[in-house]
Amino acid sequence: MTDNGLRFTKGHGTENDFVLVPDLDGALDLSAEQVRLLADRRSGVGGDGVIRVVPTDLADEAFVRSQGGRARWFMDYRNADGSAAEMCGNGTRVFAAYLRREGLESADEFEIATRAGVKTIRFEGHLIAVNLGDWKVADPDAALAGGYDALVKVAHHDPMPGLSLDLGNPHTVVALPDTADLAGLDLTRAPEVKPLPPQGTNVEFVRPLGPGHIAMRVHERGVGETRSCGTGAAAAALATRWWAGETEDNTVWRVDVPGGTLRVRALPGQQVELAGPAVLVADGVAHLG
């Protein structure tokens, strides 16, 4: 931040949009209120989240600084409400596109630091792929017993069963019954999830479209409904695969979201990869008052 304002870049991944703020010397103390102002779509720049671009060695958290031996840059991701989040799948791709454009990374493959650990980025033509790392079903005993471990309520619908997954951040995936219309769901308010994880949860609503192909809408904690969610797309594909039975024939999934299309690939060792586009659309200076 200077007297002349705060430099930023606006970008999106399948219309999940972010305000990126460079902090190359680690001197910026970005407050929750400043994040809310930047993310505000009427009085600020507007975005689903804010990403501070900072050297890993200069990160605030000791855990993140410990990743500095592998990753030069830390994606300090904040939700639109100002709260810090573990990471963001679409955000990692936009972050990587920014690093490459600015000459901060030049290789086709490199690693970045997040609050959910180091993530490997790979440029693949017009797509950017990221290994999101380990994932797991949050309560496998309950899930195996009934196929679900949570109940999710949205307006005008009875509670629906959901499966909780941990991808470094929390997700609850709902396979919609035939009586529910994906496009018609009212996601203007946060779905009610019982039991609610201590840190809250993103909620994905899924409609199978064919073999290896699903459509999804998502309500993100601290944000609301977004046009896309990268880790949410991965969670939706993994949950659908888990329900169908995990085989070598269903490792790659197409996930259609309101903002575009993503590819999810189940990797060996209980890991998952997300691939999709990333676009940097504008640069500017924000004056936060």
Side-chain angles (χ1 to χ4, degrees), residues 1 5 13 40 45 76-77 87 110 115 125 143 152 192 205 211 225 229 232 270 281 285:
M1 177 78 75
D40 192 287
V45 178
D76 179 8
Y77 182 68
M87 62 95 63
F110 55 85
R115 292 187 180 89
V152 178
E192 298 177 17
F205 298 89
E225 184 178 8
C229 174
Q270 203 75 355
V281 298
V285 177

Side-chain angles (χ1 to χ4, degrees), residues 47-272:
D48 293 324
V50 173
I51 300 172
R52 184 173 65 117
V53 183
V54 63
T56 305
D57 291 340
L58 300 179
D60 300 323
E61 298 98 327
F63 167 71
V64 174
R65 291 196 300 273
S66 71
Q67 302 172 38
R70 293 177 56 188
R72 293 176 57 200
W73 299 100
F74 167 46
M75 187 184 84
D76 179 8
Y77 182 68
R78 318 288 184 90
N79 293 315
D81 68 354
S83 60
E86 297 87 347
M87 62 95 63
C88 171
N90 288 323
T92 59
R93 301 197 316 280
V94 177
F95 184 76
Y98 178 85
L99 293 177
R100 172 169 276 198
R101 190 196 72 175
E102 296 297 304
L104 301 174
E105 291 284 2
S106 58
D108 287 336
E109 185 171 313
F110 55 85
E111 295 178 314
I112 63 171
T114 77
R115 292 187 180 89
V118 173
K119 308 300 177 185
T120 300
I121 301 289
R122 186 181 75 257
F123 282 76
E124 184 182 302
H126 70 286
L127 300 180
I128 301 174
V130 54
N131 184 340
L132 297 176
D134 296 333
W135 69 275
K136 64 181 179 180
V137 174
D139 189 347
D141 291 338
L144 285 171
Y148 66 97
D149 62 353
L151 290 175
V152 178
K153 178 76 170 66
V154 295
H156 314 301
H157 290 278
D158 293 332
M160 296 175 281
L163 181 66
S164 305
L165 285 83
D166 181 350
L167 279 82
N169 57 358
H171 295 270
T172 304
V173 181
V174 176
L176 288 179
D178 293 338
T179 54
D181 175 38
L182 180 62
L185 291 178
D186 181 0
L187 300 185
T188 57
R189 293 181 294 174
E192 298 177 17
V193 180
K194 296 182 179 180
L196 182 66
Q199 302 302 318
T201 184
N202 302 307
V203 183
E204 290 79 30
F205 298 89
V206 176
R207 171 74 70 207
L209 299 178
H213 188 191
I214 58 176
M216 180 196 86
R217 287 176 63 193
V218 58
H219 190 286
E220 293 195 56
R221 58 177 181 161
V223 184
E225 184 178 8
T226 58
R227 299 280 292 170
S228 178
C229 174
T231 53
L238 292 168
T240 305
R241 182 173 184 256
W242 188 86
W243 282 316
E246 300 176 1
T247 70
E248 294 182 0
D249 295 331
N250 65 353
T251 59
V252 180
W253 290 78
R254 170 179 169 173
V255 183
D256 294 341
V257 294
T261 297
L262 294 160
R263 186 190 74 204
V264 175
R265 189 193 309 272
L267 301 176
Q270 203 75 355
Q271 296 193 337
V272 62

